[in-house]
Amino acid sequence: MMENPNPNPNPNQNQNQARRRLVCRSVVLVPCPFQGHVSPMLELGSVLHSKGFSITIAHCEEINPPNPSNHPDFAFLPFRLSGDDHQDIFSGGVEALFTSLNARSESPLKECLAHHLKMMPDQKEGRISCIVVYDALMYTGEAAATQLKLPSLILRTSDASALLAYGAMARLQAAGYSDNFPDSKLRDPVPQLHPLRFKDLPTSKHQTLESLVRMVSLVCIKRTSSAIIWNTLDWLEQPAMAKLQQQDQIPFFSVGPLFKLAVPRCPTNLMEEDAGCISWLDKQNPQSVLYISFGSLDFIDERELAEMATGLANSGQPFLWAIRPGSVLGSQWIEPLPPGFVEEIGERGRIVKWAPQREVLAHSAIGGFWSHCGWNSTLESISEGVPLMCSPRFGDQKVSARYISYVWKVGLELETEVMDRKEIERVIRRLMVDKEGKEIRERAAALKEKVELSIKAGGSSYNALNALTEFILSL
Ligand code: UDP
């Protein structure tokens, strides 16, 4: 008689046991409350949920709270920041914002996590009942986890290449680099940081170098965390990944782009999307429209708005421009646009307050993305094969812009340091009309294909997600 290949009398039992082992594991996610950070964290929640984990989002109530009704599969642990007026968190610079946000989250987060643990069914001595995944900027997540004897993992929401550059800032400062670095040397290569030039370093005119270096020492370290999850692709940033891996010596899981792995689409937008622009795009020719957005945080001044508008008008290209209310300094929305601009543009252009960006980038009418090169926008553009026109403003955006234009060669950078209508018009034509733009578009299409392969069975991000699942189960 042939031996039964399945020694288990109930063929579903093994599967059920594995599943039971999975569902009794709970993951608490601690996002940083800004759009570019909330989205990848919610998407990570969605992919981990699809792997059988129960997901709880621990978030502060006061700043950009997620909408639980958009995520019926998740539980939510809202906490109130300690202190009276949360608005004063925003009154200092970037460093003050994050140190204050973490300090004021520390005890409320710990309390609500402790309460969450008490309420969990099936508590057993010596058994880890939950793990904490925190955004690198919400490093208080690690402190809370450690105090409660829970393992923690970091989610890094920006590119590895930028992190490597941040990590080099203290060394560069010690070697003489300062806030008064001469303009004449901005295009010189940075030692040991190829392919970055000094102008690509992740600095900001709103933050001193000293303050940046202090912040790096808080957010770029692994602390006691067991692993780092990256919203990037291994092969896309291989050299940076290898260096960071050598430095950190804990497992890395590159599971990006998370928005592509989170299927069905996870609604993560904190602002109301203007869906009307999609029907406008439907009427445009294929690859004819330039989409413009500088993300969820950046501001421009009136002069920059006027230069951008005039450059766009003079280029003659159709465009879709997302301008957040309040993002033009000193005005409610787009009041300072040059007189007659809207009439002159007519149906050739459309301005919205907030676009459904991912849908926009996936639309066949889009031929280019003029972006500030935030990491989410960069990944979204690359994933849809849309070539970029780069206007990095500060921080990691400057590093991403260098990679887009010089390493992956899927975009063009504006050459002038300040917004200039002539340069804008010239670069729009290079990207949207000239032969050069056609070649860049072909490279972007090839990169899109590589990304698509990476998230399919056997691809690097697909495998990394499975490895991450196993890793969490092994903790
Ligand atoms: N975004 C959007 N509609 C807009 C502008 C931005 O949906 O009109 C989304 C975009 O898809 C991205 C995020 O906001 O996921 C911005 O993140 P990014 O890292 O690019 O920039 P940040 O806002 O953090 O500077």
Side-chain angles (χ1 to χ4, degrees):
M1 205 173 85
M2 219 179 96
E3 209 184 3
N4 183 356
N6 183 358
N8 189 334
N10 176 358
N12 292 327
Q13 194 170 325
N14 284 344
Q15 235 179 329
N16 287 342
Q17 271 167 356
R19 174 113 189 119
R20 251 201 311 278
R21 195 158 64 99
L22 268 174
V23 288
C24 70
R25 279 295 169 85
S26 155
V27 178
V28 175
L29 303 177
V30 185
C32 173
F34 299 102
Q35 181 71 68
H37 293 258
V38 169
S39 297
M41 189 61 96
L42 290 173
E43 283 147 1
L44 176 67
S46 165
V47 294
L48 289 178
H49 182 265
S50 74
K51 294 282 180 190
F53 292 97
S54 73
I55 303 296
T56 303
I57 312 288
H59 67 91
C60 71
E61 279 177 17
E62 293 92 336
I63 309 169
N64 296 325
N67 181 352
S69 63
N70 283 337
H71 309 280
D73 293 331
F74 299 170
F76 287 82
L77 272 185
F79 60 86
R80 292 200 71 76
L81 295 171
S82 59
D84 296 332
D85 179 10
H86 79 270
Q87 276 308 332
D88 58 78
I89 283 190
F90 297 100
S91 56
V94 191
E95 184 196 357
L97 167 67
F98 287 107
T99 41
S100 170
L101 179 62
N102 278 279
R104 292 172 68 170
S105 299
E106 191 173 334
S107 45
L109 173 62
K110 201 191 115 194
E111 275 163 33
C112 83
L113 261 179
H115 180 71
H116 176 66
L117 287 180
K118 267 198 207 130
M119 304 306 285
M120 283 180 81
D122 201 19
Q123 285 286 327
K124 285 200 186 84
E125 192 58 32
R127 180 173 165 272
I128 291 163
S129 45
C130 108
I131 65 147
V132 174
V133 179
Y134 64 97
D135 187 303
L137 289 178
M138 281 298 283
Y139 49 85
T140 193
E142 184 265 356
T146 308
Q147 285 174 42
L148 295 166
K149 301 196 170 48
L150 300 173
S152 67
L153 278 73
I154 303 173
L155 171 66
R156 291 215 178 273
T157 60
S158 71
D159 44 335
S161 311
L163 196 87
L164 197 65
Y166 277 120
M169 296 313 293
R171 164 178 69 79
L172 293 169
Q173 187 188 33
Y177 176 75
S178 74
D179 290 323
N180 303 319
F181 195 74
D183 284 356
S184 59
K185 293 194 168 173
L186 281 174
R187 284 168 191 274
D188 289 359
V190 183
Q192 299 169 47
L193 224 51
H194 178 75
L196 300 189
R197 303 156 298 176
F198 282 95
K199 81 189 277 280
D200 308 316
L201 286 174
T203 52
S204 160
K205 56 179 183 244
H206 306 297
Q207 188 177 27
T208 64
L209 180 60
E210 221 180 299
S211 156
L212 176 66
V213 167
R214 270 198 307 270
M215 228 185 110
V216 166
S217 71
L218 288 173
V219 300
C220 296
I221 52 170
K222 64 180 176 187
R223 296 189 164 75
T224 63
S225 297
S226 314
I228 304 180
I229 305 168
W230 297 85
N231 188 21
T232 189
L233 300 111
D234 263 344
W235 51 265
L236 188 67
E237 301 200 85
Q238 208 280 328
M241 273 298 185
K243 283 189 187 139
L244 290 165
Q245 179 74 81
Q246 211 173 14
Q247 204 174 286
D248 284 336
Q249 302 279 330
I250 53 174
F252 279 11
F253 301 97
S254 302
V255 295
L258 278 163
F259 86 99
K260 281 282 178 188
L261 281 173
V263 178
R265 191 185 157 216
C266 175
T268 57
N269 257 333
L270 299 170
M271 309 254 288
E272 198 185 331
E273 297 172 346
D274 183 332
C277 60
I278 300 294
S279 34
W280 178 82
L281 282 175
D282 290 342
K283 294 188 210 118
Q284 311 302 317
N285 290 329
Q287 299 184 337
S288 66
V289 177
L290 180 70
Y291 168 62
I292 306 124
S293 160
F294 284 1
S296 63
L297 295 171
D298 201 30
F299 295 91
I300 55 173
D301 60 31
E302 289 190 14
R303 195 201 67 82
E304 288 177 307
L305 182 80
E307 291 300 305
M308 289 174 77
T310 313
L312 277 169
N314 294 347
S315 76
Q317 278 308 119
F319 65 85
L320 169 63
W321 192 357
I323 308 181
R324 287 184 342 269
S327 66
V328 181
L329 290 168
S331 63
Q332 297 278 314
W333 190 36
I334 51 174
E335 304 78 32
L337 276 174
F341 173 79
V342 174
E343 295 73 22
E344 184 191 337
I345 293 307
E347 266 302 291
R348 183 162 68 75
R350 182 148 177 142
I351 300 181
V352 295
K353 292 182 174 159
W354 188 258
Q357 181 164 304
R358 287 149 179 201
E359 239 180 295
V360 165
L361 289 170
H363 198 287
S364 58
I366 294 294
F369 180 12
W370 182 7
S371 171
H372 70 316
C373 306
W375 186 238
N376 291 287
S377 295
T378 303
L379 274 181
E380 289 160 16
S381 207
I382 286 176
S383 303
E384 301 302 346
V386 175
L388 289 125
M389 185 168 141
C390 306
S391 281
R393 315 280 294 172
F394 59 83
D396 59 349
Q397 302 159 10
K398 293 160 71 186
V399 178
S400 308
R402 180 64 168 163
Y403 276 78
I404 290 166
S405 57
Y406 182 83
V407 179
W408 309 321
K409 299 188 175 10
V410 293
L412 294 171
E413 243 190 301
L414 288 161
E415 292 296 327
T416 47
E417 295 302 326
V418 291
M419 288 290 181
D420 173 81
R421 60 188 68 189
K422 286 221 164 62
E423 170 68 356
I424 292 167
E425 180 187 342
R426 191 179 72 90
V427 178
I428 294 177
R429 284 186 201 282
R430 278 174 69 200
L431 190 73
M432 303 293 289
V433 185
D434 293 355
K435 184 163 167 277
E436 186 187 7
K438 191 168 169 277
E439 288 163 7
I440 296 175
R441 187 157 298 113
E442 281 165 8
R443 281 195 291 275
L447 198 54
K448 172 186 174 173
E449 267 180 44
K450 277 188 84 176
V451 173
E452 276 171 358
L453 286 176
S454 304
I455 56 173
K456 285 197 180 130
S460 65
S461 297
Y462 179 95
N463 288 344
L465 177 60
N466 286 337
L468 172 64
T469 306
E470 285 306 314
F471 180 79
I472 297 176
L473 287 172
S474 75
L475 288 170

